[in-house]
Amino acid sequence: MIRHPLILLVALSVALLVLALCVGSYPVGAPQAIQALVGIGDPTTVQVVQELRLPRTLGAWLVGAALACAGCAYQLLFKNPLVSPDILGVSAGASLGAVLALFMAWPMFAVQGSAFAGGLIAVALVMLIARWVQHADQQLTLVLIGVVLAALAGALTSMLKILADPYEQLPAITFWLLGSVSGVGLQHLAQALPFVATGFAVLFILRWRITALSVSQDESRAMGMPTQALSMWVILAATVMTSAVVSLAGTIGWVGLLVPHIARQLFGASFSRSLPACALLGGAFLMLVDTLARSLGQLDVPLGIITAMVGAPCFVWILAKRRTSQWGDNP
């Protein structure tokens, strides 16, 4: 198990950033790309790097890091390696909000705001219904209600797709649902970054206590941990992060499911070690995916397609290699 390789993950992210700035329909050499970052060189190269590729690449890193960290938090909270950031319906709610805004022909900033609000409202409904039901197994209740509300939001989203204009609205809706950072600009990053940073800060500050959630609730209470309040903070932080990046880039699957598994294999199950690893690995992974998405051909392939094609076989391979459960090991 690798214990202190964060510097290697940082170097990997920097290398992939430079690669992303160089690759595309307008090829740029690495020295020219680095110079263009500070405004030196050919004006066309500077414009391509600073206005097109840099915001898009940073957006991919931010989305990947947020989804991976949210997935890591949810998997530990629910003690289930199959849990992903959309387990409580946040992605489905955000998608419904965005599709509704696209259906109403609202401007893009309203689409993003509607997606962000939709994700928060979906999880808030899950929490309210779970409190109203008051089942003995609160975590199982949250998951079941999240699945139900996600199915309902998915049905409403499908209804809006059927009603949408097939020539103008439907292509935009479909492309958004598959996920892309092609339209991300610096102003969009500035809008999403505070929410992602706040959610990450909450998880990082509480990282030692969150690690204690990997044991049973009785053991956590015996250690004096306020498990219910701590669970609420985890859910709130992960929801805010996921809603922010879904509103930025649409629905992108597999990142929050696959990357935490890799981070735990490299760093162990301790949340304090796997959280920063998830941020760096998730960001690097989606930067690489986005570079492939705009390099495979003339079309800009949606990110959700590539993450599914890569994530599914990788996840099967990880499960095949896994011999014993790592939950609760190496706290």
Side-chain angles (χ1 to χ4, degrees), residues 73-94:
Y74 274 138
Q75 288 180 10
L76 187 143
L77 175 64
F78 292 102
K79 304 178 184 65
N80 189 336
L82 298 179
V83 168
S84 61
D86 56 356
I87 187 63
L88 299 184
V90 57
S91 295

Side-chain angles (χ1 to χ4, degrees), residues 29-282:
Q32 290 75 24
I34 295 173
Q35 291 176 352
L37 288 175
V38 294
I40 300 175
D42 178 67
T44 302
T45 301
V46 172
Q47 183 179 16
V48 168
V49 170
Q50 289 190 354
E51 298 182 13
L52 298 178
R53 292 182 183 172
L54 181 62
R56 174 171 182 160
T57 303
L58 293 178
W61 191 95
L62 184 66
V63 172
L67 292 176
C69 289
C72 180
Y74 274 138
Q75 288 180 10
L76 187 143
L77 175 64
F78 292 102
K79 304 178 184 65
N80 189 336
L82 298 179
V83 168
S84 61
D86 56 356
I87 187 63
L88 299 184
V90 57
S91 295
S95 297
L96 177 59
V99 170
L100 178 61
L102 290 169
F103 181 79
M104 301 296 292
W106 291 352
M108 186 51 62
F109 74 89
V111 173
Q112 294 175 333
S114 181
F116 182 73
L120 295 181
I121 291 172
V123 176
L125 286 174
V126 170
M127 303 294 291
L128 289 174
I129 296 174
R131 177 166 298 210
W132 174 64
V133 172
Q134 292 184 343
H135 193 274
D137 192 337
Q138 193 70 9
Q139 290 187 347
L140 178 60
T141 303
L142 287 172
V143 172
L144 293 177
I145 296 174
V147 171
V148 171
L149 286 184
L152 178 59
L156 294 175
T157 300
S158 298
M159 179 60 69
L160 290 174
K161 289 173 65 177
I162 293 174
L163 298 175
D165 185 301
Y167 299 104
E168 295 184 5
Q169 295 175 327
L170 186 57
I173 291 173
T174 302
F175 190 79
W176 194 94
L177 290 174
L178 291 175
S180 175
V181 291
S182 60
V184 172
L186 291 178
Q187 70 276 15
H188 303 121
L189 291 175
Q191 294 168 2
L193 182 59
F195 296 102
V196 175
T198 300
F200 181 84
V202 171
L203 295 177
F204 187 77
I205 291 171
L206 298 175
R207 63 192 185 280
W208 298 108
R209 295 189 176 188
I210 293 174
T211 300
L213 294 176
S214 61
V215 300
S216 67
Q217 290 190 359
D218 292 337
E219 291 177 302
S220 297
R221 293 192 186 99
M223 291 186 290
M225 292 295 176
T227 55
Q228 186 171 2
L230 193 57
S231 298
M232 293 303 102
W233 277 110
V234 172
I235 291 173
L236 178 61
T239 298
V240 168
M241 295 173 71
T242 304
S243 296
V245 295
V246 170
S247 69
L248 182 70
T251 306
I252 301 174
W254 287 97
V255 179
L257 179 61
L258 176 65
V259 173
H261 281 271
I262 300 174
R264 281 196 300 274
Q265 290 200 355
L266 293 176
F267 287 81
S270 172
F271 188 73
S272 61
R273 293 197 296 263
S274 60
L275 179 66
C278 280
L280 294 170
L281 283 171

